[in-house]
Amino acid sequence: MSISYWQQRSQIMNARDRIAKQAAAYFSPGDVVNLGIGIPSLCGDYAAPGVMFHTENGLVGVGSLCDGMLAVEGFSNATAMRFIPVPGASAFDSAESFGLVRSGKLAATVLGALQVAENGDLANWAQPGRVFGMGGAMDLVNGARKVIIAMELTSKQGKPKIVKSCDFPLTGKACVDHIVTEQCVIDVTRDGLVLVALLEGLTPEDIQKQIEPRLIVADHLATIPV
């Protein structure tokens, strides 16, 4: 039976939401967290109450995205999407915003990736024939106390995105703490990549086939519900 376009779209969105939900589990009330574009931007829907979101262009307290009469030009994130500030939000200029980033006061940043190496190197802004622009990512991966990568496990062509060594231009060296995908969650440690959670129905061998480095399987492997 062929799968319709909308069924495929639904499956993609479910996978993206699953990633966002797993990534948001790392946040705690009182944390100030920066979210990148794409899948990371969905984490706000799954965060615990009391988590505050930061945007590089100058605000802590990013709320729900909005449009129409609710959209105010002064309240837009780093990708120019309008949002409603939450109670207690604070606005400031971009210089002060990056001062906050560089000071180490961000509990975490969640970013997408093109490649992540087994030692935690991150490449997420350029690849042959396509440059996205680094933006604030270089500061974020060096300033945030925790760097969480939220991405699909492989490229659209099925190529590994978790590699032994990045061959795309680096955003940061040895900066990644956690890799959250639609199939698994992997911690980056001094001993190597540790598989800590696995989608229900899959095996560690299923993941190993899709990445380059050797995986270490945690003693207590959590299950991610479908």
Side-chain angles (χ1 to χ4, degrees):
M1 179 183 296
S2 61
I3 300 176
S4 72
Y5 167 81
W6 288 109
Q7 287 175 314
Q8 294 179 47
R9 178 70 176 171
S10 176
Q11 290 173 1
I12 292 170
M13 291 303 294
N14 287 339
R16 289 163 63 90
D17 287 338
R18 187 188 307 131
I19 295 169
K21 184 176 181 179
Q22 292 295 314
Y26 287 105
F27 311 155
S28 299
D31 284 351
V32 178
V33 178
N34 179 281
L35 301 178
I37 62 174
I39 295 173
S41 68
L42 302 175
C43 292
D45 294 337
Y46 301 98
V51 177
M52 297 284 277
F53 293 102
H54 163 268
T55 179
E56 299 100 296
N57 57 324
L59 191 136
V60 171
V62 176
S64 302
L65 297 179
C66 63
D67 56 17
M69 293 183 64
L70 293 175
V72 177
E73 185 176 356
F75 297 125
S76 59
N77 62 23
T79 55
M81 299 178 72
R82 305 285 193 262
F83 63 86
I84 301 172
V86 301
S90 177
F92 31 81
D93 65 27
S94 60
E96 194 167 358
S97 181
F98 275 92
L100 187 156
V101 171
R102 294 164 185 161
S103 71
K105 290 183 170 60
L106 288 183
T109 183
V110 186
L111 299 168
L114 296 169
Q115 290 180 331
V116 181
E118 62 182 330
N119 70 338
D121 287 353
L122 170 65
N124 79 340
W125 69 280
Q127 59 182 315
R130 192 173 184 188
V131 177
F132 299 91
M134 187 180 291
M138 181 175 62
D139 289 284
L140 288 164
V141 299
N142 286 287
R145 297 195 296 273
K146 186 179 294 182
V147 176
I148 303 164
I149 299 303
M151 67 177 190
E152 281 141 353
L153 185 59
T154 64
S155 71
K156 292 179 180 178
Q157 295 75 34
K159 294 182 178 180
K161 295 173 73 172
I162 301 176
V163 295
K164 291 183 178 179
S165 179
C166 295
D167 51 23
F168 296 163
L170 293 184
T171 307
K173 288 189 174 183
C175 58
V176 175
D177 297 293
H178 308 287
I179 307 169
V180 182
T181 80
E182 79 283 12
Q183 299 183 46
C184 63
V185 177
I186 296 171
D187 288 348
V188 182
T189 75
R190 292 183 179 180
D191 297 324
L193 299 180
V194 180
L195 181 66
V196 296
L198 188 62
L199 183 67
E200 184 180 353
L202 296 182
T203 67
E205 290 74 22
D206 292 326
I207 307 302
Q208 185 64 74
K209 292 175 184 177
Q210 301 177 76
I211 72 171
E212 290 182 359
R214 181 184 64 86
L215 270 179
I216 302 167
V217 181
D219 292 334
H220 302 287
L221 191 60
T223 299
I224 304 170
V226 175

